[in-house]
Amino acid sequence: MRKYCEECKKEVETKVVTKKETYDVCGEAIEVDAQVLICEECGEEFYYEEFDNATLIQAYNEYRRKHKLLFPEEIKKIREQYGLSQRSFAKLLNWGDKTICRYENGSIQDKAHNSLLLFLRRPENMKTYLAENEILLDEKQKKKLMNIVEKLGKDSEYQLGIRFFGAFFSGTPCEENGFKGFDYEKFCAMVLFFAHKSTELLKTKLMKLLNYSDMVFYKENGISISGLKYVHFPYGPVPDNFDMLFGRMAADHIAHIEVCYDNGYEKHQVIPECDAPEGILSDAELKVLERIYEKFKNFGSADISDYSHKEKGYNATKQGEIISYAYAKDIQLD
């Protein structure tokens, strides 16, 4: 990228460097790794809105992690599982009309609000809340909400899914999963996005696309999309316990792996069984997925595997080891 440098008094080539920056978040100094655009000739820093916004989001997310606060998308997911609008959810909680809207758009919630949201994440707790509190919703809304709560509580598949993934995937945010508990819905949405965009998507390529999507989103936002952990395998990074993930998707009729043969070679093709869902991935997440697709759309499985072998995170780990999201800062797609 070329920009006009005030120091050099001419248009110059630029480069991206990573440096430590400190932001004031709720009166607390939060240090993050920031990407900065500088002049290659004199080192002068340029204002670049995209990088500045990404760094601010990282600082807010670092504050959330430090104080164990829910992320905006997690708050949205709690609300949506009960079929409530932002206004209705705020009314249910006896909060101001715009409170949920602000939280879902990035404002940091106070700890009391966060504790209540965490409590209501489980349907059995919502049932208790409805029974023991004065609710401002009208009777029609209350009845609809109670039906949803009852359905979630009795749905054996819902309960089985919680136990199944709780046994194999860490729900505790940490650097290995991009500071996000595993999100099966987002994972499936990512798979369907790439499966529908590609004429023929093979499993090996899909796993690299997922890895790059999560890592790049983490690099720019301080949190991963899916909460997946990625493991060093001979043909590049793959999601931890990927066979279980694909088995669950096949059982849920979301997507399956079909084995076919081409000139004696065995290929594992990803076959979508439904449309990509709307409203699961945020606009920011979809933009990253689109960038990853455009970058690698003409790569074959071997090409993208070779490309991933050059990443610092892959070279710094051994076979079977988790590739930490800390290495996301070293990924350069351009």
Side-chain angles (χ1 to χ4, degrees), residues 9 32 50 56 135 142 149 183 205 209 213 225 228 231 233 242 264 266 279-280 287 317:
K9 304 299 181 184
V32 293
E50 183 178 338
L56 183 60
I135 306 302
K142 279 193 235 179
V149 171
D183 191 320
K205 181 174 180 178
L209 294 173
S213 298
I225 300 175
L228 282 169
V231 182
F233 263 44
F242 64 87
E266 183 177 289
I280 300 300
K287 285 179 181 178
T317 53

Side-chain angles (χ1 to χ4, degrees), residues 50-82:
E50 183 178 338
F51 285 171
D52 286 356
N53 289 342
T55 304
L56 183 60
I57 291 171
Q58 282 189 57
Y60 272 59
N61 286 344
E62 182 61 32
Y63 180 89
R64 290 185 177 98
R65 283 195 291 271
K66 185 176 180 180
H67 295 280
K68 296 181 170 56
L69 298 176
L70 290 164
F71 286 79
E73 62 183 51
E74 293 176 310
I75 295 174
K76 182 180 179 181
K77 187 175 180 181
I78 294 169
R79 173 178 64 79
E80 290 184 339
Q81 81 169 335
Y82 297 116

Side-chain angles (χ1 to χ4, degrees), residues 10 31 49 57 62 83 110 116 151 160 268 279 295 323:
K10 62 179 180 178
E31 187 179 71
E49 186 176 6
I57 291 171
E62 182 61 32
D110 63 46
L116 181 56
K151 184 177 183 298
L160 179 61
H268 293 243
K295 169 68 180 179
I323 302 172

Side-chain angles (χ1 to χ4, degrees), residues 53-226:
N53 289 342
T55 304
L56 183 60
I57 291 171
Q58 282 189 57
Y60 272 59
N61 286 344
E62 182 61 32
Y63 180 89
R64 290 185 177 98
R65 283 195 291 271
K66 185 176 180 180
H67 295 280
K68 296 181 170 56
L69 298 176
L70 290 164
F71 286 79
E73 62 183 51
E74 293 176 310
I75 295 174
K76 182 180 179 181
K77 187 175 180 181
I78 294 169
R79 173 178 64 79
E80 290 184 339
Q81 81 169 335
Y82 297 116
L84 294 167
S85 67
Q86 291 179 340
R87 188 175 181 182
S88 295
F89 197 32
K91 188 180 289 188
L92 172 72
L93 302 174
N94 293 311
W95 295 352
D97 285 352
K98 302 294 184 183
T99 304
I100 294 297
C101 179
R102 288 191 294 104
Y103 290 165
E104 290 186 7
N105 285 326
S107 294
I108 294 178
Q109 66 273 24
D110 63 46
K111 290 186 178 181
H113 282 184
N114 191 76
S115 296
L116 181 56
L117 290 166
L118 279 169
F119 176 76
L120 295 179
R121 185 156 56 178
R122 298 183 67 84
E124 59 267 31
N125 292 340
M126 176 61 87
K127 187 174 182 179
T128 300
Y129 179 86
L130 292 173
E132 296 182 357
N133 290 274
E134 185 177 350
I135 306 302
L136 297 179
L137 300 178
D138 61 39
E139 288 304 317
K140 184 178 179 180
Q141 289 175 312
K142 279 193 235 179
K143 185 175 180 181
K144 180 182 177 182
L145 177 56
M146 185 56 78
N147 287 338
I148 291 173
V149 171
E150 291 289 345
K151 184 177 183 298
L152 288 172
K154 291 178 180 178
D155 192 335
S156 59
E157 185 176 349
Y158 170 85
Q159 298 295 340
L160 179 61
I162 294 292
R163 291 195 297 271
F164 179 86
F165 285 106
F168 294 101
F169 299 94
S170 170
T172 304
C174 61
E175 200 165 57
E176 289 188 344
N177 57 25
F179 292 104
K180 179 183 175 69
F182 175 66
D183 191 320
Y184 178 62
E185 286 185 326
K186 284 190 182 288
F187 162 71
C188 292
M190 293 169 74
V191 171
L192 290 171
F193 175 90
F194 288 121
H196 283 294
K197 293 280 283 188
S198 309
T199 304
E200 180 187 75
L201 179 61
L202 300 186
K203 183 172 75 171
T204 297
K205 181 174 180 178
L206 169 64
M207 291 193 285
K208 308 303 165 289
L209 294 173
L210 294 172
N211 176 253
Y212 274 113
S213 298
D214 268 328
M215 289 287 178
V216 169
F217 192 82
Y218 175 85
K219 176 182 179 180
E220 298 174 358
N221 297 277
I223 188 172
S224 65
I225 300 175
S226 70

Side-chain angles (χ1 to χ4, degrees), residues 268-316:
H268 293 243
Q269 188 172 348
V270 182
I271 308 296
E273 295 184 40
C274 60
D275 293 334
E278 296 183 1
I280 300 300
L281 297 170
S282 68
D283 289 342
E285 290 166 341
L286 286 168
K287 285 179 181 178
V288 168
L289 264 62
E290 186 68 40
R291 282 163 51 199
I292 299 303
Y293 169 76
E294 287 296 327
K295 169 68 180 179
F296 295 109
K297 64 181 179 182
N298 295 321
F299 282 55
S301 292
D303 298 324
I304 195 170
S305 290
D306 290 343
Y307 192 95
S308 70
H309 287 173
K310 299 172 185 176
E311 301 294 353
K312 185 174 180 180
Y314 187 81
N315 288 309

